Amino acid sequence: MAPQTIEQRIVRYGERQTPARVDRIALLDTTPLAEADAVKTRRGPQIDKVRAGRMAKVMRDEMKPNCLADGPRKQAL
């Protein structure tokens, strides 16, 4: 079985958790390719933190610096 992308895993998780409620899903800025090993290595601890209830910390400390463009209001967000 080929490695799954994070997007494929998200869709499968949604289908398993709430199959009757998942009508559609939009995945923005995605790729059909499997994640690079370096990305997988970083993603595991992020998933563990989110599952432990620390999603805000992951978003603030890890996602925001890498996903938002530089600008005068970046720190305020």
Side-chain angles (χ1 to χ4, degrees):
M1 185 170 170
Q4 292 184 329
T5 64
I6 189 70
E7 292 85 4
Q8 290 168 325
R9 290 188 300 227
I10 290 168
V11 170
R12 292 183 80 121
Y13 177 80
E15 290 171 345
R16 282 194 317 269
Q17 295 300 311
T18 56
R21 294 190 314 195
V22 176
D23 182 40
R24 286 176 251 165
I25 186 168
L27 302 173
L28 307 177
D29 192 29
T30 62
T31 176
L33 305 175
E35 291 181 317
D37 290 338
V39 175
K40 284 187 222 176
T41 301
R42 287 192 313 266
R43 179 99 51 228
Q46 289 175 335
I47 292 169
D48 293 340
K49 290 174 189 172
V50 170
R51 287 183 175 156
R54 299 192 312 257
M55 183 170 182
K57 180 175 176 32
V58 171
M59 296 299 292
R60 181 191 67 231
D61 297 344
E62 300 177 38
M63 303 298 273
K64 184 175 95 169
N66 298 315
C67 296
L68 294 179
D70 289 330
R73 297 184 51 220
K74 182 175 180 178
Q75 291 304 315
L77 297 176

